Amino acid sequence: MTDTYRDYVDCTPLLDDREALDRFYDEHGYLYLRGALDRDLVRTAAEQMLEGLVALGHAAPGTTLDTLTIDSFEAVDEVAMHDYVKYDDLWNHPSTLKVWEQAFGEPVFVFKSTTIRYYPSAAGREQPSFLTPLHQDGFYIGPNKDFRTAWVPLLPTSNGIGGVALADGSHKKGPREHVLTENFRRFGHPVRGIPAEEFQADGPLLFSPMEPGDVLLFHAWMCHKSVPNVSADPAGMRMSMDTRVQPATSHRGFNALTPWPESAKDPSKGVMSKITGTPATAE
């Protein structure tokens, strides 16, 4: 699959047109909403992430978001970082809930599980193994598949800093095969991803620079992957968060109800069971 990208389509003008918004989502499997979230709330989450990196000794006191750099994502205690970032204050703020409900057309429930990412530049180095291969969140998360992933940048992204690339319309083919990918690892385990041959008939991926306040919402069967941070001169940080949002009336599985620090500790449940290959006792 080629790594040339087309831009996301800004769907913000469709927010007040229910029929057009649903038609776009059904066809393309995503919504890109530019400037839809409160920038001050997003900035607060970024400052909290910075506070955690300083407190845990990975950034020097006095570091600002403009000067932030860390040596390694893997060296940071990821569970401890969750004590600093109050992401639910963003996800469940009335202004944010309004955006979710505009996107869904109904009341929603926001997952208790959030992933936080603080990736330094890997320019000139081997691609980090903690990035995610091409995959579908619906492979990892269930049992119902009517959730949408919400992905937000906390700092501006660019072609160099990277982010998330989507395969336009790929959700319409449903679930794909996922196989072990030794080059991508999480918690010491190889991560399952979609084989390249699965995409011979698919078009180019979508990726655009994003600003704090922008959000991507995409389908459980949307095929997507990390775009690595290879920024240089200057090197920048990729800082982002992602969670899942579902209709309020839908079943709430293990990942919907369990905060990430708790679910990451149990290899037999939810996302972790799919990463480790252990039999799942809960979705």
Side-chain angles (χ1 to χ4, degrees), residues 87-88 92 108-114 140-144 147 243-264 269-271 282-283:
Y87 32 77
D88 287 335
N92 290 292
V108 300
F109 173 79
V110 183
F111 275 34
K112 300 296 185 183
S113 180
T114 290
Y140 291 99
I141 298 171
N144 50 304
F147 67 85
T243 189
R244 279 90 210 147
V245 184
Q246 67 177 43
T249 55
S250 294
H251 175 82
R252 299 175 188 179
F254 176 79
N255 288 287
L257 296 173
T258 308
W260 186 93
E262 295 179 33
S263 62
K269 295 180 179 179
V271 170
E283 274 196 302

Side-chain angles (χ1 to χ4, degrees), residues 54-207:
V54 171
L56 296 175
H58 298 281
T63 298
T64 68
L65 289 172
D66 293 329
T67 62
L68 175 62
T69 184
I70 62 174
D71 291 332
S72 168
F73 167 77
E74 299 101 314
V76 180
D77 184 336
E78 196 170 353
V79 171
M81 278 291 293
H82 280 256
D83 290 336
Y84 293 91
V85 187
K86 310 304 180 187
Y87 32 77
D88 287 335
D89 291 348
L90 169 61
W91 300 141
N92 290 292
H93 190 274
S95 64
T96 310
L97 288 173
K98 180 180 178 181
V99 174
W100 303 152
E101 290 174 359
Q102 283 182 290
F104 278 79
E106 61 183 304
V108 300
F109 173 79
V110 183
F111 275 34
K112 300 296 185 183
S113 180
T114 290
T115 305
I116 56 177
R117 308 177 193 270
Y118 31 90
Y119 296 165
S121 173
R125 293 181 284 167
E126 186 177 350
Q127 178 172 284
S129 62
F130 57 76
L131 298 177
T132 53
L134 203 63
H135 68 286
Q136 298 169 305
D137 285 357
F139 172 77
Y140 291 99
I141 298 171
N144 50 304
K145 310 299 180 181
D146 56 354
F147 67 85
R148 303 185 191 185
T149 295
W151 192 97
V152 302
L154 302 183
L155 293 176
T157 67
S158 66
N159 291 331
I161 287 176
V164 60
L166 311 177
D168 190 2
S170 57
H171 67 298
K172 291 187 289 186
K173 295 184 180 179
R176 312 259 185 139
E177 179 187 16
H178 286 63
V179 300
L180 289 177
T181 54
E182 289 291 339
N183 292 337
F184 297 91
R185 305 185 72 84
R186 202 78 169 92
F187 309 108
H189 298 277
V191 176
R192 287 164 173 76
I194 301 171
E197 55 268 25
E198 279 276 324
F199 270 81
Q200 292 178 351
D202 289 75
L205 292 170
L206 308 180
F207 173 77

Side-chain angles (χ1 to χ4, degrees), residues 32-47 65-66 90 151-158 161 208-216 237-241:
Y32 170 43
L33 305 176
R34 183 177 292 166
L37 303 184
D38 186 302
R39 291 177 182 269
D40 289 338
L41 293 173
V42 176
R43 179 76 178 190
T44 295
E47 294 282 3
L65 289 172
D66 293 329
L90 169 61
W151 192 97
V152 302
L154 302 183
L155 293 176
T157 67
S158 66
I161 287 176
S208 298
M210 294 176 68
E211 293 289 330
D214 296 356
V215 60
L216 277 171
M237 287 285 294
R238 172 190 156 185
M239 289 173 59
S240 63
M241 305 193 306

